[in-house]
Amino acid sequence: MIKPHIAIRRAAIVVTLVTIAGLPLVAAGGQAPQQAAPEIRRVSLTAGRSTVLVTDFDITRIAVTNPVVADAVVVQPREILVDGKSSGTVSLIVWGDARREQYDLVVEQGVTALQQQLQTLFPGEDIRVTASDEAIILSGQVSSNPVMLRAGEIAQATSSKIRVINMLQLPGGAESQQVILQVRFAEVNRRAMTELGVSFFTGPTGYKGYVGRATTQQFPAPEFDGLSRTEENGQVTASGELTFSDFLNLFVFNTKYNVGALVKALQSTGFFQSLAEPNLIAYNGQEASFLAGGEIPVPVVQGNTGSVSVQYKEFGIRLTFTPTIAGDVIRLKVRPEVSTLDFGNGITLSGFRIPALSTRRAETDVELRDGQSFVIAGLLDNITQDTTAAVPILSRVPIIGNLFKSKSERAERTELMVLITPRLVRALDPDEVPPLPTRPREFLPAPVGDIGSQLEGGGGTVDAPPATGQSPR
């Protein structure tokens, strides 16, 4: 009779243990412990390619955080087709009847056509291409400057609207990313002019009843004004005036015969030299410009209202350059320009005299090492102008015919030379800053007994501690 009771007790203990096992465990504090976070699986694929994800349960629903990066579709009860579209990382959540799993879809950018082309053109070079909607980034290691520059040019040629950031590195390349451009503009202008001409004239009362003037109109000649002649009782009275706008170089008048002459005989030479030395600093790949000159007001007439507005036009010495650093080589796109005011070819508009601009400009690409120089020379401007005037018939008379001719000869030669030296620069550390220029003597006399009087150039003790033996002020 004892054994059945023992069996019943054992069965009760087993039932109790099973019941307890089915209940959640409770800690001493009365709170159930937190469940472990579900494991997130990682799925890697390349943009433009697909993969099949297999589960061990039937799928009821899926969700993708960003379909632009990757998309997924259920093709079988336990299979999901994942398509990679663009680089990035998104989450994929899969639900079943009683289960749920989460995946990280990591989509990497595939090998672009540009990178394949660069690998074909430059075998053995470590060139990596990263493309986005607005820029193409070149990174890696190359062996020489030409490879670095040509790779950047090829990348830029793929699309003119996308910016190319060339981060290719060279062995032993310089760390500086700034370029200082030392430029010297030297302009020399030489000119020579010769003018020769004669104008004959009589006085306003004439000579023996004749009033006359002979001129080629090339140079100013006198003009008659208010001439009158009266005759009364056999007496002839003449009056008038001569108006001279210019006595030219030589003026001769004979009061006895009432005859005069104006002679234009002039030779002039001129020499002009200009030198400008601007220094510019620009970052790698960024454009910098310099202008030493001014602005001239240019009136602009509005077509509808007829009102006049003023716009300003720049002139002077201008320099625009864009540096590209490739290791110890600097590639420069340089555009120097020199413009001056030319009143001789100007126009007059609505009472405003607007000068023209005489411009000399050059644009070139050069490749230099740090400290090397190049010269843009041969910018010559030669002007020769000959003007001749003559009185018909009289100018053909031998010997005296030269008195009825006039001429003007003008020759001008302008030569411009531009000397450019690029240098790699870096910022100065605090202990490398050079001292500022100071006066050799003090600016104002220091008070008697002030410690500043002991310093070269003078000084004060406003923010300094009091000197030994002196009380604070």
Side-chain angles (χ1 to χ4, degrees):
M1 297 299 294
I2 298 176
K3 292 182 179 179
H5 289 287
I6 295 175
I8 293 173
R9 290 178 180 177
R10 289 179 179 177
I13 293 173
V14 171
V15 173
T16 304
L17 292 176
V18 171
T19 305
I20 295 175
L23 296 176
L25 298 177
V26 179
Q31 296 181 355
Q34 296 182 354
Q35 296 182 358
E39 181 183 359
I40 300 177
R41 296 174 55 186
R42 180 185 179 94
V43 179
S44 300
L45 67 158
T46 305
R49 297 188 178 183
S50 303
T51 186
V52 176
L53 184 63
V54 181
T55 63
D56 55 358
F57 58 90
D58 292 340
I59 303 170
T60 60
R61 187 176 56 167
I62 64 173
V64 179
T65 55
N66 189 0
V68 177
V69 176
D71 200 1
V73 60
V74 179
V75 294
Q76 294 290 339
R78 296 190 177 188
E79 291 184 357
I80 302 174
L81 178 63
V82 181
D83 298 327
K85 295 185 177 181
S86 61
S87 60
T89 302
V90 295
S91 297
L92 171 64
I93 303 176
V94 181
W95 286 273
D97 292 335
R99 294 182 57 181
R100 184 187 66 191
E101 291 188 0
Q102 184 173 345
Y103 302 86
D104 282 346
L105 303 181
V106 181
V107 183
E108 298 179 354
Q109 185 70 34
V111 179
T112 62
L114 175 60
Q115 184 164 353
Q116 293 178 355
Q117 185 179 12
L118 293 176
Q119 291 176 353
T120 303
L121 296 176
F122 308 106
E125 302 289 349
D126 180 19
I127 302 178
R128 296 184 293 273
V129 180
T130 304
S132 63
D133 296 337
E134 299 181 354
I136 295 177
I137 302 176
L138 302 180
S139 59
Q141 297 280 342
V142 292
S143 58
S144 62
N145 291 328
V147 174
M148 175 183 177
L149 296 175
R150 297 298 182 269
E153 293 175 354
I154 295 173
Q156 187 64 56
T158 57
S159 177
S160 59
K161 298 181 180 180
I162 296 181
R163 180 184 177 188
V164 176
I165 302 176
N166 195 341
M167 299 182 63
L168 295 174
Q169 297 181 359
L170 293 168
E175 298 180 357
S176 176
Q177 292 294 313
Q178 296 184 99
V179 177
I180 182 172
L181 205 64
Q182 300 174 345
V183 186
R184 279 174 282 181
F185 289 88
E187 181 181 5
V188 176
N189 189 329
R190 300 180 180 90
R191 59 182 180 273
M193 182 176 60
T194 301
E195 295 177 333
L196 181 61
V198 180
S199 296
F200 297 98
F201 62 93
T202 64
T205 57
Y207 174 70
K208 293 184 179 181
Y210 292 96
V211 177
R213 185 188 71 165
T215 178
T216 61
Q217 296 292 337
Q218 187 172 2
F219 305 112
E223 296 181 358
F224 296 100
D225 185 18
L227 294 182
S228 63
R229 181 182 177 87
T230 58
E231 183 175 355
E232 184 177 356
N233 299 327
Q235 296 290 332
V236 178
T237 303
S239 63
E241 295 180 353
L242 280 175
T243 303
F244 295 90
S245 59
D246 190 353
F247 286 102
L248 302 182
N249 299 90
L250 299 176
F251 171 75
V252 179
F253 186 80
N254 190 310
T255 57
K256 179 179 179 181
Y257 296 103
N258 205 23
V259 176
L262 294 174
V263 180
K264 180 73 169 181
L266 178 65
Q267 288 183 345
S268 63
T269 58
F271 177 81
F272 172 78
Q273 182 176 0
S274 175
L275 179 64
E277 298 185 11
N279 292 332
L280 293 177
I281 296 181
Y283 190 73
N284 183 20
Q286 301 296 323
E287 182 180 283
S289 62
F290 168 86
L291 174 64
E295 296 181 347
I296 57 173
V298 178
V300 179
V301 180
Q302 306 296 331
N304 297 331
T305 61
S307 60
V308 179
S309 61
V310 177
Q311 296 181 357
Y312 287 87
K313 182 70 174 179
E314 296 178 343
F315 73 96
I317 298 176
R318 178 190 296 275
L319 174 66
T320 303
F321 80 102
T322 304
T324 301
I325 302 175
D328 59 346
V329 174
I330 305 172
R331 171 174 287 191
L332 291 175
K333 184 175 183 180
V334 188
R335 185 181 182 185
E337 177 182 325
V338 177
S339 57
T340 56
L341 300 180
D342 185 4
F343 289 91
N345 295 322
I347 61 174
T348 301
L349 179 63
S350 300
F352 298 95
R353 186 176 182 183
I354 306 173
L357 290 178
S358 178
T359 304
R360 291 167 295 282
R361 181 188 300 118
E363 185 172 358
T364 183
D365 291 344
V366 294
E367 190 173 289
L368 300 172
R369 296 188 181 275
D370 183 17
Q372 291 183 338
S373 303
F374 76 97
V375 178
I376 301 177
L379 301 177
L380 301 178
D381 184 12
N382 295 327
I383 299 176
T384 302
Q385 182 178 358
D386 295 338
T387 304
T388 302
V391 178
I393 302 175
L394 295 179
S395 61
R396 299 181 181 179
V397 177
I399 303 176
I400 64 172
N402 293 325
L403 299 177
F404 299 94
K405 296 180 181 179
S406 62
K407 67 177 181 178
S408 175
E409 297 179 355
R410 175 174 171 264
E412 183 174 352
R413 180 176 182 177
T414 302
E415 181 178 0
L416 175 65
M417 184 183 72
V418 183
L419 178 63
I420 301 177
T421 304
R423 296 183 184 275
L424 296 174
V425 297
R426 64 175 181 85
L428 294 177
D429 293 331
D431 56 346
E432 297 177 340
V433 178
L436 297 176
T438 57
R439 293 173 58 87
R441 55 188 178 88
E442 60 184 5
F443 180 64
L444 290 175
V448 179
D450 196 314
I451 190 175
S453 60
Q454 304 176 11
L455 302 177
E456 181 180 357
T461 58
V462 176
D463 298 327
T468 303
Q470 296 182 356
S471 60
R473 298 179 181 178

